Amino acid sequence: MDLSLSEEQEMIVGMVRRFVREEIVPLELNLDPDADTLAPDDRARLTEKTKAMGLYGLGIPPEFGGPEIDLVTRTLIAIEISQHRAGLYAPCYGVFGGAGLAQLFEATDDQKERYLYPTLRGEKRGFFGLTEPSGGSDPARAIQTKAVRDGDDWIINGGKIFISGADKADYGLVFARTDKDKGRNGVTCFIVDTDTPGFHVRRVVHTLRSAHYATELQFEDMRVPASNVLGEVNRGFAIATDRLTSQRIPYAAGCVGVAIKAHEMALEYVPQRETFGAPLSSRQAIQWMLVDNEIDIKQARWFTLEAADRAQRGESFRKEAAMAKLVATEAGGRVVDRCMQMFGGYGVTKDFPFERWYREMRIRRIGEGPSEVQRHIIARDILGASLR
Amino acid sequence: MSIRLEKPWQALERLDDLPGHLGVFQLGNADGEVQFIGYAGGRSQYGLRSAIPDAVANVATATSYRLEITAAYLTRYQELLMVHQADHGRLPSANDPVDNLGRLSPA
């Protein structure tokens, strides 16, 4: 695989890099160090700029109004837009737009009218409700939320945890068990309006991400029309796994971007900082940290772009996406940790972004499937049927 | 941890004892009603020690305060606003409207 950038990719990456450094980073000087939102005026102004650049709504397919940009280039952009303090979880504070819930691109025409198009117009927000208190790594077995058919409706009872954005959403995708004897073939995906009686956001779940909380949901006799089943009854798990697999590529790209930025800051700092009469960069201990950073970043970038390349070519990319997620999240953590060490006391203050990256990068080894699950996916792919 | 801030109110005369940590706080009136919810974030000069007096200066009805030290000051701040909104149907009188505040229905 050739990972050299085309002329067009070089141009786009350069444009995005300038945008991040000239428009986003200066704003962060006046934001709370943990902020993940911009002032409305700044957000509107910068969103207009990304639209003018032709880069708004990167995850939206062209037939739904998104830009004609291939997946490898989108991954290169994802690496760039994460290169600032909030970049890991709020890349460019959302001014490049999002795809909403990509599963809705496969919805019925009626569902698209009610949910997808209003979301793309910015009129509605959705959430993705999969993980339950009984577990998130093995959702096929862990899902205990039940949906029982009642005439033209389904009645849903149960709960979800670690769900982002449910308290601000107009609707969500809720996965519920519709056949208790069929394991992963007994799960259905429902589109649920958050004003439905019986839908409750019970509490905020505080995490290492101090600007963004997750929520815990409870469903009490929540009545959902059968017309709100997304896809087919008992085929919801495929919808969930498709999303989980494809999400691993941008998830990895964000880690690569932050690692690149942290490393760049360390490279600027160590020749200037002196100890015992010589710059830090003259110390072998520091040089080796920088070398290890280079290797970690190159490896993670390669794995991430390879997964994107396979997905773009329509080949199976489940193993490659798992490897990219595994390698990038673990490498990103090591790079940020080393850079923090090189900055010494300053590295752990809120004056610099390392402490935020350190906390948030730790989550990355768990979110979207922990490292152990990624290894399990890779092993299953390598060993195939002999694993079972 | 309770989702509500249920510590006893402290009189404003005791502001000299405030800690310099990051965290959240409430200002109350003479009837013990919450007038304002605020936080001391990573850019505050002296954490709660400066953030609370700054807020008191802008809330004429404040007679007492209570605080919670937390590094998760932004999410805890939003949580306290949401809980107040759920309990009272409105934000505290001295808080400005919050853009895109979430909705909680605590059990």
Side-chain angles (χ1 to χ4, degrees), chain A residues 28-29 31-35 125 167-169 194 200-204 206 210-213 350, chain B residues 1 22 39 41-43 71-76 78-79 82 99-100 102-107:
Chain A
E28 291 189 323
L29 298 175
L31 291 175
D32 186 277
D34 280 348
R125 294 173 180 225
D167 59 315
K168 298 176 182 177
T194 55
H200 305 289
V201 182
R202 285 303 188 204
R203 72 178 178 108
V204 161
H206 300 278
S210 60
H212 182 93
Y213 51 82
K350 285 190 179 293
Chain B
M1 183 180 79
L22 308 181
Y39 70 88
R43 298 238 186 265
Y73 51 87
L74 285 179
T75 51
R76 184 68 173 128
Q78 292 174 74
E79 180 179 47
M82 286 189 282
D99 187 41
N100 195 29
R103 300 175 301 274
L104 273 188
S105 45

Side-chain angles (χ1 to χ4, degrees), chain A residues 201-236:
Chain A
V201 182
R202 285 303 188 204
R203 72 178 178 108
V204 161
V205 182
H206 300 278
T207 69
L208 288 172
R209 285 178 67 190
S210 60
H212 182 93
Y213 51 82
T215 60
E216 180 166 359
L217 310 181
Q218 185 184 12
F219 313 129
E220 289 181 318
D221 293 327
M222 189 170 66
R223 185 173 285 272
V224 178
S227 59
N228 275 29
V229 169
L230 182 62
E232 295 175 44
V233 172
N234 289 336
R235 291 285 177 269

Side-chain angles (χ1 to χ4, degrees), chain A residues 258 262 331-341 354 357-358 361:
Chain A
V258 164
R334 289 193 297 268
V335 170
V336 168
D337 183 70
R338 288 187 203 109
C339 293
M340 189 181 249
Q341 189 72 15
F354 301 108
W357 290 336
Y358 184 82
M361 197 67 90

Side-chain angles (χ1 to χ4, degrees), chain B residues 16-99:
Chain B
D16 288 347
D17 295 339
L18 289 171
H21 297 74
L22 308 181
V24 295
F25 62 91
Q26 292 177 333
L27 302 182
N29 64 11
D31 296 325
E33 295 165 340
V34 176
Q35 303 292 291
F36 180 74
I37 298 171
Y39 70 88
R43 298 238 186 265
S44 59
Q45 193 169 14
Y46 299 111
L48 291 160
R49 178 176 288 240
S50 56
I52 293 179
D54 287 351
V56 166
N58 292 314
V59 182
T61 53
T63 60
S64 56
Y65 73 91
R66 55 189 175 188
L67 61 86
E68 184 177 293
I69 294 169
T70 174
Y73 51 87
L74 285 179
T75 51
R76 184 68 173 128
Y77 167 67
Q78 292 174 74
E79 180 179 47
L80 289 174
L81 290 175
M82 286 189 282
V83 169
H84 192 94
Q85 176 83 41
D87 289 348
H88 302 280
R90 57 172 175 74
L91 293 178
S93 55
N95 278 91
D96 291 328
V98 176
D99 187 41

Side-chain angles (χ1 to χ4, degrees), chain A residues 118-190:
Chain A
T119 304
L120 296 179
R121 291 194 297 267
E123 297 162 6
K124 281 190 175 182
R125 294 173 180 225
F127 71 87
F128 186 80
L130 179 65
T131 300
E132 300 200 1
S134 50
S137 293
D138 179 17
R141 292 171 187 80
I143 289 176
Q144 295 179 6
T145 293
K146 279 187 209 160
V148 177
R149 187 79 191 234
D150 182 38
D152 289 338
D153 298 331
W154 290 82
I155 310 292
I156 301 178
N157 281 283
K160 300 284 174 183
I161 197 164
F162 301 130
I163 307 303
S164 286
D167 59 315
K168 298 176 182 177
D170 302 286
Y171 69 94
L173 302 187
V174 170
F175 294 82
R177 186 157 297 288
T178 40
D179 190 327
K180 64 180 172 55
D181 299 321
K182 288 189 177 168
R184 65 177 54 201
N185 293 321
V187 174
T188 300
C189 180
F190 296 89

